[in-house]
mmCIF file of all heavy atoms in Angstrom:
data_model
loop_
_atom_site.group_PDB
_atom_site.id
_atom_site.type_symbol
_atom_site.label_atom_id
_atom_site.label_comp_id
_atom_site.label_asym_id
_atom_site.label_seq_id
_atom_site.Cartn_x
_atom_site.Cartn_y
_atom_site.Cartn_z
ATOM 1 N N LEU A 288 7.860 2.426 -4.909
ATOM 2 C CA LEU A 288 8.667 3.596 -4.536
ATOM 3 C C LEU A 288 7.925 4.497 -3.549
ATOM 4 O O LEU A 288 8.531 5.065 -2.641
ATOM 5 C CB LEU A 288 9.062 4.387 -5.792
ATOM 6 C CG LEU A 288 10.050 3.685 -6.730
ATOM 7 C CD1 LEU A 288 10.318 4.550 -7.961
ATOM 8 C CD2 LEU A 288 11.370 3.379 -6.016
ATOM 9 N N CYS A 289 6.612 4.622 -3.702
ATOM 10 C CA CYS A 289 5.849 5.466 -2.777
ATOM 11 C C CYS A 289 5.576 4.752 -1.455
ATOM 12 O O CYS A 289 5.483 5.404 -0.415
ATOM 13 C CB CYS A 289 4.550 5.926 -3.430
ATOM 14 S SG CYS A 289 4.827 7.119 -4.768
ATOM 15 N N CYS A 290 5.466 3.425 -1.488
ATOM 16 C CA CYS A 290 5.364 2.677 -0.230
ATOM 17 C C CYS A 290 6.643 2.861 0.588
ATOM 18 O O CYS A 290 6.615 2.793 1.823
ATOM 19 C CB CYS A 290 5.159 1.186 -0.507
ATOM 20 S SG CYS A 290 3.479 0.736 -0.980
ATOM 21 N N ALA A 291 7.764 3.106 -0.120
ATOM 22 C CA ALA A 291 9.069 3.220 0.531
ATOM 23 C C ALA A 291 9.415 4.639 0.977
ATOM 24 O O ALA A 291 10.497 4.869 1.523
ATOM 25 C CB ALA A 291 10.158 2.704 -0.418
ATOM 26 N N LEU A 292 8.511 5.594 0.761
ATOM 27 C CA LEU A 292 8.833 6.988 1.102
ATOM 28 C C LEU A 292 9.173 7.157 2.576
ATOM 29 O O LEU A 292 10.072 7.917 2.945
ATOM 30 C CB LEU A 292 7.648 7.903 0.747
ATOM 31 C CG LEU A 292 7.443 8.210 -0.736
ATOM 32 C CD1 LEU A 292 6.178 9.031 -0.933
ATOM 33 C CD2 LEU A 292 8.654 8.935 -1.316
ATOM 34 N N PHE A 293 8.426 6.463 3.440
ATOM 35 C CA PHE A 293 8.648 6.567 4.880
ATOM 36 C C PHE A 293 8.964 5.174 5.429
ATOM 37 O O PHE A 293 8.401 4.182 4.967
ATOM 38 C CB PHE A 293 7.410 7.112 5.595
ATOM 39 C CG PHE A 293 6.953 8.452 5.091
ATOM 40 C CD1 PHE A 293 5.869 8.547 4.225
ATOM 41 C CD2 PHE A 293 7.607 9.613 5.472
ATOM 42 C CE1 PHE A 293 5.444 9.775 3.750
ATOM 43 C CE2 PHE A 293 7.194 10.846 4.997
ATOM 44 C CZ PHE A 293 6.108 10.933 4.134
ATOM 45 N N PRO A 294 9.852 5.081 6.414
ATOM 46 C CA PRO A 294 10.138 3.775 7.024
ATOM 47 C C PRO A 294 8.877 3.196 7.656
ATOM 48 O O PRO A 294 8.050 3.928 8.200
ATOM 49 C CB PRO A 294 11.190 4.099 8.094
ATOM 50 C CG PRO A 294 11.764 5.416 7.693
ATOM 51 C CD PRO A 294 10.666 6.164 7.014
ATOM 52 N N GLN A 295 8.736 1.879 7.577
ATOM 53 C CA GLN A 295 7.617 1.221 8.239
ATOM 54 C C GLN A 295 7.695 1.465 9.742
ATOM 55 O O GLN A 295 6.699 1.682 10.412
ATOM 56 C CB GLN A 295 7.642 -0.284 7.935
ATOM 57 C CG GLN A 295 6.386 -1.020 8.315
ATOM 58 C CD GLN A 295 5.193 -0.585 7.473
ATOM 59 O OE1 GLN A 295 5.350 -0.209 6.317
ATOM 60 N NE2 GLN A 295 4.011 -0.607 8.059
ATOM 61 N N LYS A 296 8.934 1.441 10.247
ATOM 62 C CA LYS A 296 9.177 1.765 11.643
ATOM 63 C C LYS A 296 9.502 3.250 11.704
ATOM 64 O O LYS A 296 10.647 3.665 11.618
ATOM 65 C CB LYS A 296 10.334 0.921 12.186
ATOM 66 C CG LYS A 296 10.641 1.132 13.665
ATOM 67 C CD LYS A 296 11.820 0.261 14.081
ATOM 68 C CE LYS A 296 12.204 0.456 15.539
ATOM 69 N NZ LYS A 296 13.371 -0.374 15.917
ATOM 70 N N SER A 297 8.454 4.065 11.813
ATOM 71 C CA SER A 297 8.615 5.516 11.775
ATOM 72 C C SER A 297 9.043 6.030 13.149
ATOM 73 O O SER A 297 9.019 5.300 14.144
ATOM 74 C CB SER A 297 7.307 6.168 11.355
ATOM 75 O OG SER A 297 7.505 7.517 10.985
ATOM 76 N N SER A 298 9.430 7.296 13.201
ATOM 77 C CA SER A 298 9.954 7.842 14.456
ATOM 78 C C SER A 298 9.420 9.251 14.709
ATOM 79 O O SER A 298 8.913 9.921 13.807
ATOM 80 C CB SER A 298 11.484 7.881 14.425
ATOM 81 O OG SER A 298 11.948 8.712 13.379
ATOM 82 N N MET A 299 9.548 9.665 15.967
ATOM 83 C CA MET A 299 9.107 11.004 16.387
ATOM 84 C C MET A 299 9.930 11.436 17.589
ATOM 85 O O MET A 299 10.225 10.614 18.475
ATOM 86 C CB MET A 299 7.613 10.972 16.732
ATOM 87 C CG MET A 299 7.074 12.267 17.319
ATOM 88 S SD MET A 299 5.301 12.152 17.736
ATOM 89 C CE MET A 299 4.577 12.399 16.128
ATOM 90 N N ALA A 300 10.322 12.697 17.601
ATOM 91 C CA ALA A 300 11.068 13.217 18.738
ATOM 92 C C ALA A 300 10.180 13.223 19.979
ATOM 93 O O ALA A 300 8.976 13.500 19.898
ATOM 94 C CB ALA A 300 11.565 14.627 18.443
ATOM 95 N N MET A 301 10.753 12.897 21.121
ATOM 96 C CA MET A 301 9.982 12.852 22.350
ATOM 97 C C MET A 301 9.330 14.198 22.633
ATOM 98 O O MET A 301 8.221 14.266 23.179
ATOM 99 C CB MET A 301 10.875 12.444 23.531
ATOM 100 C CG MET A 301 10.089 12.151 24.805
ATOM 101 S SD MET A 301 11.104 11.715 26.222
ATOM 102 C CE MET A 301 11.614 13.345 26.804
ATOM 103 N N SER A 302 9.982 15.270 22.249
ATOM 104 C CA SER A 302 9.452 16.614 22.517
ATOM 105 C C SER A 302 8.169 16.905 21.750
ATOM 106 O O SER A 302 7.481 17.884 22.039
ATOM 107 C CB SER A 302 10.510 17.661 22.156
ATOM 108 O OG SER A 302 10.889 17.550 20.797
ATOM 109 N N HIS A 303 7.833 16.063 20.751
ATOM 110 C CA HIS A 303 6.620 16.268 19.963
ATOM 111 C C HIS A 303 5.447 15.423 20.456
ATOM 112 O O HIS A 303 4.367 15.481 19.887
ATOM 113 C CB HIS A 303 6.895 15.947 18.488
ATOM 114 C CG HIS A 303 7.836 16.907 17.833
ATOM 115 N ND1 HIS A 303 8.474 16.645 16.628
ATOM 116 C CD2 HIS A 303 8.278 18.127 18.223
ATOM 117 C CE1 HIS A 303 9.243 17.658 16.307
ATOM 118 N NE2 HIS A 303 9.141 18.580 17.265
ATOM 119 N N LEU A 304 5.676 14.651 21.506
ATOM 120 C CA LEU A 304 4.613 13.808 22.057
ATOM 121 C C LEU A 304 3.696 14.610 22.979
ATOM 122 O O LEU A 304 3.991 15.772 23.308
ATOM 123 C CB LEU A 304 5.225 12.637 22.834
ATOM 124 C CG LEU A 304 6.061 11.642 22.026
ATOM 125 C CD1 LEU A 304 6.770 10.676 22.974
ATOM 126 C CD2 LEU A 304 5.206 10.880 21.023
ATOM 127 N N GLU A 305 2.611 13.991 23.426
ATOM 128 C CA GLU A 305 1.704 14.634 24.356
ATOM 129 C C GLU A 305 2.435 14.972 25.658
ATOM 130 O O GLU A 305 3.327 14.218 26.088
ATOM 131 C CB GLU A 305 0.536 13.702 24.686
ATOM 132 C CG GLU A 305 -0.392 13.423 23.515
ATOM 133 C CD GLU A 305 0.058 12.272 22.623
ATOM 134 O OE1 GLU A 305 1.259 11.889 22.687
ATOM 135 O OE2 GLU A 305 -0.758 11.763 21.858
ATOM 136 N N PRO A 306 2.126 16.107 26.292
ATOM 137 C CA PRO A 306 2.827 16.523 27.520
ATOM 138 C C PRO A 306 2.841 15.444 28.600
ATOM 139 O O PRO A 306 3.877 15.223 29.245
ATOM 140 C CB PRO A 306 2.036 17.756 27.975
ATOM 141 C CG PRO A 306 1.452 18.304 26.704
ATOM 142 C CD PRO A 306 1.146 17.110 25.850
ATOM 143 N N GLU A 307 1.712 14.734 28.780
ATOM 144 C CA GLU A 307 1.663 13.726 29.842
ATOM 145 C C GLU A 307 2.591 12.544 29.533
ATOM 146 O O GLU A 307 3.206 11.975 30.439
ATOM 147 C CB GLU A 307 0.226 13.233 30.069
ATOM 148 C CG GLU A 307 -0.461 12.628 28.868
ATOM 149 C CD GLU A 307 -1.160 13.656 27.980
ATOM 150 O OE1 GLU A 307 -0.835 14.859 28.101
ATOM 151 O OE2 GLU A 307 -2.030 13.241 27.192
ATOM 152 N N LEU A 308 2.710 12.190 28.243
ATOM 153 C CA LEU A 308 3.614 11.105 27.876
ATOM 154 C C LEU A 308 5.065 11.560 27.990
ATOM 155 O O LEU A 308 5.936 10.785 28.411
ATOM 156 C CB LEU A 308 3.317 10.616 26.456
ATOM 157 C CG LEU A 308 4.123 9.411 25.968
ATOM 158 C CD1 LEU A 308 3.999 8.234 26.925
ATOM 159 C CD2 LEU A 308 3.659 8.999 24.568
ATOM 160 N N GLN A 309 5.313 12.823 27.663
ATOM 161 C CA GLN A 309 6.665 13.364 27.834
ATOM 162 C C GLN A 309 7.093 13.291 29.301
ATOM 163 O O GLN A 309 8.230 12.915 29.607
ATOM 164 C CB GLN A 309 6.721 14.813 27.340
ATOM 165 C CG GLN A 309 6.640 14.980 25.841
ATOM 166 C CD GLN A 309 6.859 16.428 25.422
ATOM 167 O OE1 GLN A 309 7.800 17.087 25.885
ATOM 168 N NE2 GLN A 309 5.995 16.933 24.557
ATOM 169 N N GLU A 310 6.174 13.655 30.194
ATOM 170 C CA GLU A 310 6.485 13.611 31.630
ATOM 171 C C GLU A 310 6.786 12.179 32.078
ATOM 172 O O GLU A 310 7.721 11.946 32.848
ATOM 173 C CB GLU A 310 5.309 14.175 32.425
ATOM 174 C CG GLU A 310 5.098 15.672 32.247
ATOM 175 C CD GLU A 310 3.908 16.178 33.040
ATOM 176 O OE1 GLU A 310 3.397 15.408 33.885
ATOM 177 O OE2 GLU A 310 3.486 17.334 32.819
ATOM 178 N N LYS A 311 6.006 11.239 31.576
ATOM 179 C CA LYS A 311 6.209 9.839 31.929
ATOM 180 C C LYS A 311 7.579 9.358 31.460
ATOM 181 O O LYS A 311 8.307 8.682 32.209
ATOM 182 C CB LYS A 311 5.109 8.987 31.301
ATOM 183 C CG LYS A 311 5.286 7.486 31.525
ATOM 184 C CD LYS A 311 4.206 6.689 30.795
ATOM 185 C CE LYS A 311 4.473 5.189 30.892
ATOM 186 N NZ LYS A 311 3.444 4.399 30.138
ATOM 187 N N LEU A 312 7.955 9.706 30.230
ATOM 188 C CA LEU A 312 9.231 9.251 29.680
ATOM 189 C C LEU A 312 10.413 9.973 30.329
ATOM 190 O O LEU A 312 11.487 9.389 30.515
ATOM 191 C CB LEU A 312 9.256 9.463 28.161
ATOM 192 C CG LEU A 312 8.182 8.707 27.362
ATOM 193 C CD1 LEU A 312 8.373 8.918 25.869
ATOM 194 C CD2 LEU A 312 8.205 7.219 27.692
ATOM 195 N N ALA A 313 10.200 11.247 30.676
ATOM 196 C CA ALA A 313 11.286 12.016 31.307
ATOM 197 C C ALA A 313 11.649 11.444 32.675
ATOM 198 O O ALA A 313 12.777 11.628 33.154
ATOM 199 C CB ALA A 313 10.875 13.477 31.439
ATOM 200 N N ALA A 314 10.717 10.726 33.304
ATOM 201 C CA ALA A 314 10.972 10.156 34.626
ATOM 202 C C ALA A 314 11.728 8.831 34.561
ATOM 203 O O ALA A 314 12.143 8.299 35.595
ATOM 204 C CB ALA A 314 9.640 9.941 35.356
ATOM 205 N N LEU A 315 11.930 8.306 33.349
ATOM 206 C CA LEU A 315 12.668 7.053 33.202
ATOM 207 C C LEU A 315 14.148 7.259 33.499
ATOM 208 O O LEU A 315 14.666 8.371 33.343
ATOM 209 C CB LEU A 315 12.500 6.500 31.783
ATOM 210 C CG LEU A 315 11.076 6.075 31.378
ATOM 211 C CD1 LEU A 315 11.049 5.684 29.896
ATOM 212 C CD2 LEU A 315 10.603 4.916 32.238
ATOM 213 N N PRO A 316 14.862 6.216 33.905
ATOM 214 C CA PRO A 316 16.302 6.341 34.190
ATOM 215 C C PRO A 316 17.091 6.859 32.981
ATOM 216 O O PRO A 316 17.979 7.694 33.125
ATOM 217 C CB PRO A 316 16.708 4.902 34.551
ATOM 218 C CG PRO A 316 15.442 4.264 35.034
ATOM 219 C CD PRO A 316 14.342 4.877 34.242
ATOM 220 N N ASN A 317 16.758 6.353 31.792
ATOM 221 C CA ASN A 317 17.403 6.810 30.560
ATOM 222 C C ASN A 317 16.326 7.207 29.555
ATOM 223 O O ASN A 317 15.984 6.430 28.649
ATOM 224 C CB ASN A 317 18.292 5.702 29.973
ATOM 225 C CG ASN A 317 19.448 5.356 30.894
ATOM 226 O OD1 ASN A 317 20.254 6.212 31.225
ATOM 227 N ND2 ASN A 317 19.519 4.089 31.298
ATOM 228 N N PRO A 318 15.781 8.410 29.720
ATOM 229 C CA PRO A 318 14.678 8.821 28.837
ATOM 230 C C PRO A 318 15.121 8.878 27.384
ATOM 231 O O PRO A 318 16.198 9.413 27.070
ATOM 232 C CB PRO A 318 14.303 10.214 29.356
ATOM 233 C CG PRO A 318 15.492 10.687 30.104
ATOM 234 C CD PRO A 318 16.134 9.472 30.684
ATOM 235 N N PRO A 319 14.333 8.323 26.454
ATOM 236 C CA PRO A 319 14.695 8.351 25.037
ATOM 237 C C PRO A 319 14.443 9.724 24.428
ATOM 238 O O PRO A 319 13.516 10.433 24.833
ATOM 239 C CB PRO A 319 13.756 7.303 24.428
ATOM 240 C CG PRO A 319 12.550 7.363 25.302
ATOM 241 C CD PRO A 319 13.057 7.638 26.690
ATOM 242 N N SER A 320 15.268 10.101 23.477
ATOM 243 C CA SER A 320 15.040 11.362 22.770
ATOM 244 C C SER A 320 14.110 11.153 21.582
ATOM 245 O O SER A 320 13.484 12.089 21.092
ATOM 246 C CB SER A 320 16.378 11.933 22.276
ATOM 247 O OG SER A 320 17.030 11.009 21.419
#
Side-chain angles (χ1 to χ4, degrees):
L288 292 178
C289 290
C290 282
L292 285 176
F293 303 102
Q295 192 66 31
K296 183 181 178 181
S297 195
S298 61
M299 174 181 280
M301 190 182 82
S302 58
H303 293 164
L304 296 171
E305 293 86 342
E307 58 273 18
L308 184 55
Q309 288 186 47
E310 291 179 11
K311 176 184 174 182
L312 299 184
L315 295 174
N317 296 301
S320 58

